[in-house]
PDB file of all heavy atoms in Angstrom:
ATOM      1  N   LEU X  55       2.181  14.056  15.702  1.00  0.00           N
ATOM      2  CA  LEU X  55       1.219  14.959  15.080  1.00  0.00           C
ATOM      3  C   LEU X  55       1.946  15.839  14.064  1.00  0.00           C
ATOM      4  O   LEU X  55       2.920  16.506  14.401  1.00  0.00           O
ATOM      5  CB  LEU X  55       0.545  15.815  16.150  1.00  0.00           C
ATOM      6  CG  LEU X  55      -0.552  16.754  15.701  1.00  0.00           C
ATOM      7  CD1 LEU X  55      -1.714  15.973  15.099  1.00  0.00           C
ATOM      8  CD2 LEU X  55      -1.026  17.591  16.868  1.00  0.00           C
ATOM      9  N   LEU X  56       1.486  15.808  12.815  1.00  0.00           N
ATOM     10  CA  LEU X  56       2.111  16.605  11.759  1.00  0.00           C
ATOM     11  C   LEU X  56       1.366  17.925  11.582  1.00  0.00           C
ATOM     12  O   LEU X  56       0.153  17.977  11.778  1.00  0.00           O
ATOM     13  CB  LEU X  56       2.099  15.838  10.436  1.00  0.00           C
ATOM     14  CG  LEU X  56       2.850  14.510  10.427  1.00  0.00           C
ATOM     15  CD1 LEU X  56       2.667  13.819   9.088  1.00  0.00           C
ATOM     16  CD2 LEU X  56       4.322  14.725  10.714  1.00  0.00           C
ATOM     17  N   PRO X  57       2.060  18.991  11.192  1.00  0.00           N
ATOM     18  CA  PRO X  57       1.382  20.263  10.982  1.00  0.00           C
ATOM     19  C   PRO X  57       0.405  20.163   9.806  1.00  0.00           C
ATOM     20  O   PRO X  57       0.736  19.628   8.758  1.00  0.00           O
ATOM     21  CB  PRO X  57       2.512  21.236  10.675  1.00  0.00           C
ATOM     22  CG  PRO X  57       3.673  20.408  10.297  1.00  0.00           C
ATOM     23  CD  PRO X  57       3.482  19.056  10.904  1.00  0.00           C
ATOM     24  N   CYS X  58      -0.799  20.676  10.042  1.00  0.00           N
ATOM     25  CA  CYS X  58      -1.855  20.621   9.032  1.00  0.00           C
ATOM     26  C   CYS X  58      -2.954  21.581   9.484  1.00  0.00           C
ATOM     27  O   CYS X  58      -3.223  21.687  10.682  1.00  0.00           O
ATOM     28  CB  CYS X  58      -2.369  19.187   8.951  1.00  0.00           C
ATOM     29  SG  CYS X  58      -3.793  18.958   7.913  1.00  0.00           S
ATOM     30  N   PRO X  59      -3.612  22.285   8.570  1.00  0.00           N
ATOM     31  CA  PRO X  59      -4.719  23.151   8.970  1.00  0.00           C
ATOM     32  C   PRO X  59      -5.838  22.337   9.630  1.00  0.00           C
ATOM     33  O   PRO X  59      -6.180  21.249   9.163  1.00  0.00           O
ATOM     34  CB  PRO X  59      -5.206  23.759   7.653  1.00  0.00           C
ATOM     35  CG  PRO X  59      -4.083  23.606   6.698  1.00  0.00           C
ATOM     36  CD  PRO X  59      -3.332  22.387   7.138  1.00  0.00           C
ATOM     37  N   ALA X  60      -6.382  22.863  10.700  1.00  0.00           N
ATOM     38  CA  ALA X  60      -7.384  22.127  11.484  1.00  0.00           C
ATOM     39  C   ALA X  60      -8.629  21.776  10.680  1.00  0.00           C
ATOM     40  O   ALA X  60      -9.261  20.746  10.937  1.00  0.00           O
ATOM     41  CB  ALA X  60      -7.769  22.938  12.714  1.00  0.00           C
ATOM     42  N   ASP X  61      -8.992  22.586   9.700  1.00  0.00           N
ATOM     43  CA  ASP X  61     -10.205  22.284   8.945  1.00  0.00           C
ATOM     44  C   ASP X  61     -10.043  21.079   8.016  1.00  0.00           C
ATOM     45  O   ASP X  61     -11.021  20.532   7.522  1.00  0.00           O
ATOM     46  CB  ASP X  61     -10.684  23.503   8.159  1.00  0.00           C
ATOM     47  CG  ASP X  61      -9.666  24.017   7.170  1.00  0.00           C
ATOM     48  OD1 ASP X  61      -8.455  23.765   7.370  1.00  0.00           O
ATOM     49  OD2 ASP X  61     -10.066  24.664   6.203  1.00  0.00           O
ATOM     50  N   LEU X  62      -8.797  20.635   7.773  1.00  0.00           N
ATOM     51  CA  LEU X  62      -8.568  19.438   6.966  1.00  0.00           C
ATOM     52  C   LEU X  62      -8.546  18.172   7.812  1.00  0.00           C
ATOM     53  O   LEU X  62      -8.699  17.079   7.300  1.00  0.00           O
ATOM     54  CB  LEU X  62      -7.254  19.553   6.192  1.00  0.00           C
ATOM     55  CG  LEU X  62      -7.171  20.678   5.164  1.00  0.00           C
ATOM     56  CD1 LEU X  62      -5.793  20.704   4.525  1.00  0.00           C
ATOM     57  CD2 LEU X  62      -8.246  20.527   4.109  1.00  0.00           C
ATOM     58  N   GLY X  63      -8.335  18.312   9.113  1.00  0.00           N
ATOM     59  CA  GLY X  63      -8.268  17.176  10.029  1.00  0.00           C
ATOM     60  C   GLY X  63      -6.928  17.144  10.735  1.00  0.00           C
ATOM     61  O   GLY X  63      -6.170  18.106  10.701  1.00  0.00           O
ATOM     62  N   LEU X  64      -6.627  16.033  11.381  1.00  0.00           N
ATOM     63  CA  LEU X  64      -5.340  15.832  12.040  1.00  0.00           C
ATOM     64  C   LEU X  64      -4.555  14.792  11.265  1.00  0.00           C
ATOM     65  O   LEU X  64      -5.078  13.714  10.966  1.00  0.00           O
ATOM     66  CB  LEU X  64      -5.534  15.314  13.471  1.00  0.00           C
ATOM     67  CG  LEU X  64      -6.191  16.237  14.465  1.00  0.00           C
ATOM     68  CD1 LEU X  64      -6.444  15.494  15.769  1.00  0.00           C
ATOM     69  CD2 LEU X  64      -5.303  17.434  14.724  1.00  0.00           C
ATOM     70  N   LEU X  65      -3.314  15.080  10.958  1.00  0.00           N
ATOM     71  CA  LEU X  65      -2.434  14.114  10.320  1.00  0.00           C
ATOM     72  C   LEU X  65      -1.531  13.527  11.391  1.00  0.00           C
ATOM     73  O   LEU X  65      -0.843  14.268  12.103  1.00  0.00           O
ATOM     74  CB  LEU X  65      -1.561  14.784   9.260  1.00  0.00           C
ATOM     75  CG  LEU X  65      -2.130  14.914   7.868  1.00  0.00           C
ATOM     76  CD1 LEU X  65      -1.145  15.651   6.970  1.00  0.00           C
ATOM     77  CD2 LEU X  65      -2.477  13.572   7.277  1.00  0.00           C
ATOM     78  N   LEU X  86      -5.262  10.108   8.705  1.00  0.00           N
ATOM     79  CA  LEU X  86      -5.998  11.367   8.684  1.00  0.00           C
ATOM     80  C   LEU X  86      -7.181  11.184   9.616  1.00  0.00           C
ATOM     81  O   LEU X  86      -8.034  10.330   9.391  1.00  0.00           O
ATOM     82  CB  LEU X  86      -6.481  11.699   7.269  1.00  0.00           C
ATOM     83  CG  LEU X  86      -7.410  12.909   7.158  1.00  0.00           C
ATOM     84  CD1 LEU X  86      -6.699  14.185   7.605  1.00  0.00           C
ATOM     85  CD2 LEU X  86      -7.940  13.045   5.751  1.00  0.00           C
ATOM     86  N   LEU X  87      -7.209  11.951  10.702  1.00  0.00           N
ATOM     87  CA  LEU X  87      -8.301  11.876  11.673  1.00  0.00           C
ATOM     88  C   LEU X  87      -9.185  13.099  11.522  1.00  0.00           C
ATOM     89  O   LEU X  87      -8.690  14.227  11.486  1.00  0.00           O
ATOM     90  CB  LEU X  87      -7.754  11.830  13.104  1.00  0.00           C
ATOM     91  CG  LEU X  87      -6.816  10.682  13.429  1.00  0.00           C
ATOM     92  CD1 LEU X  87      -6.299  10.819  14.852  1.00  0.00           C
ATOM     93  CD2 LEU X  87      -7.502   9.353  13.249  1.00  0.00           C
ATOM     94  N   ARG X  88     -10.482  12.861  11.433  1.00  0.00           N
ATOM     95  CA  ARG X  88     -11.431  13.965  11.328  1.00  0.00           C
ATOM     96  C   ARG X  88     -12.569  13.710  12.305  1.00  0.00           C
ATOM     97  O   ARG X  88     -13.139  12.615  12.324  1.00  0.00           O
ATOM     98  CB  ARG X  88     -11.973  14.083   9.910  1.00  0.00           C
ATOM     99  CG  ARG X  88     -10.866  14.369   8.918  1.00  0.00           C
ATOM    100  CD  ARG X  88     -11.355  14.680   7.540  1.00  0.00           C
ATOM    101  NE  ARG X  88     -12.098  13.562   6.969  1.00  0.00           N
ATOM    102  CZ  ARG X  88     -12.957  13.692   5.963  1.00  0.00           C
ATOM    103  NH1 ARG X  88     -13.188  14.855   5.429  1.00  0.00           N
ATOM    104  NH2 ARG X  88     -13.572  12.639   5.488  1.00  0.00           N
ATOM    105  N   PRO X  89     -12.905  14.693  13.140  1.00  0.00           N
ATOM    106  CA  PRO X  89     -13.997  14.500  14.094  1.00  0.00           C
ATOM    107  C   PRO X  89     -15.337  14.387  13.379  1.00  0.00           C
ATOM    108  O   PRO X  89     -15.567  15.018  12.345  1.00  0.00           O
ATOM    109  CB  PRO X  89     -13.944  15.752  14.972  1.00  0.00           C
ATOM    110  CG  PRO X  89     -13.177  16.746  14.200  1.00  0.00           C
ATOM    111  CD  PRO X  89     -12.303  16.008  13.234  1.00  0.00           C
ATOM    112  N   LEU X 104      -4.145  18.613   1.107  1.00  0.00           N
ATOM    113  CA  LEU X 104      -3.474  17.834   2.147  1.00  0.00           C
ATOM    114  C   LEU X 104      -2.071  17.387   1.720  1.00  0.00           C
ATOM    115  O   LEU X 104      -1.188  17.205   2.560  1.00  0.00           O
ATOM    116  CB  LEU X 104      -4.329  16.621   2.466  1.00  0.00           C
ATOM    117  CG  LEU X 104      -4.291  16.005   3.819  1.00  0.00           C
ATOM    118  CD1 LEU X 104      -4.536  17.046   4.904  1.00  0.00           C
ATOM    119  CD2 LEU X 104      -5.292  14.895   3.931  1.00  0.00           C
TER     120      LEU X 104
END
Side-chain angles (χ1 to χ4, degrees):
L55 184 62
L56 299 176
C58 173
D61 59 336
L62 297 177
L64 294 173
L65 273 178
L86 173 62
L87 301 177
R88 299 188 299 159
L104 208 53

